[in-house]
Amino acid sequence: MKVRVDVMLKTGVLDPQGEAVRHALGNLGFSGVEGVRQGKVIELDLADGTKEADVKKMCEKLLANTVIENYVIEVL
């Protein structure tokens, strides 16, 4: 089973990496970019029988900092 976990900062949490990307895009001549949020994608190849609840536990314990980040699990 293959799973993708998308991790993004929660709304209201400052995103210095996203701001750096937004600024760089402006310097490269790309106008109209008003905001950028930087996140991460984690793809897991899991053994058959692994439950989505197990992936949620992985996220809660290691893959995401749930104080400042949200995550979405997608089974591929």
Side-chain angles (χ1 to χ4, degrees), residues 13-53:
V13 175
L14 294 178
D15 185 353
Q17 287 180 312
E19 186 59 23
V21 170
R22 186 195 63 76
H23 184 72
L25 288 170
N27 287 341
L28 291 171
F30 295 100
S31 61
V33 179
E34 295 180 353
V36 176
R37 301 293 285 173
Q38 177 76 26
K40 58 187 171 187
V41 175
I42 303 163
E43 288 191 357
L44 303 167
D45 290 317
L46 302 170
D48 290 339
T50 303
K51 296 179 175 86
E52 194 168 329

Side-chain angles (χ1 to χ4, degrees), residues 54-73:
D54 294 328
V55 178
K56 183 177 181 199
K57 287 179 187 176
M58 292 176 198
C59 291
E60 298 285 332
K61 291 184 180 259
L62 176 67
L63 302 179
N65 177 349
T66 57
V67 173
I68 61 170
E69 295 174 320
N70 291 318
Y71 62 89
V72 175
I73 299 168

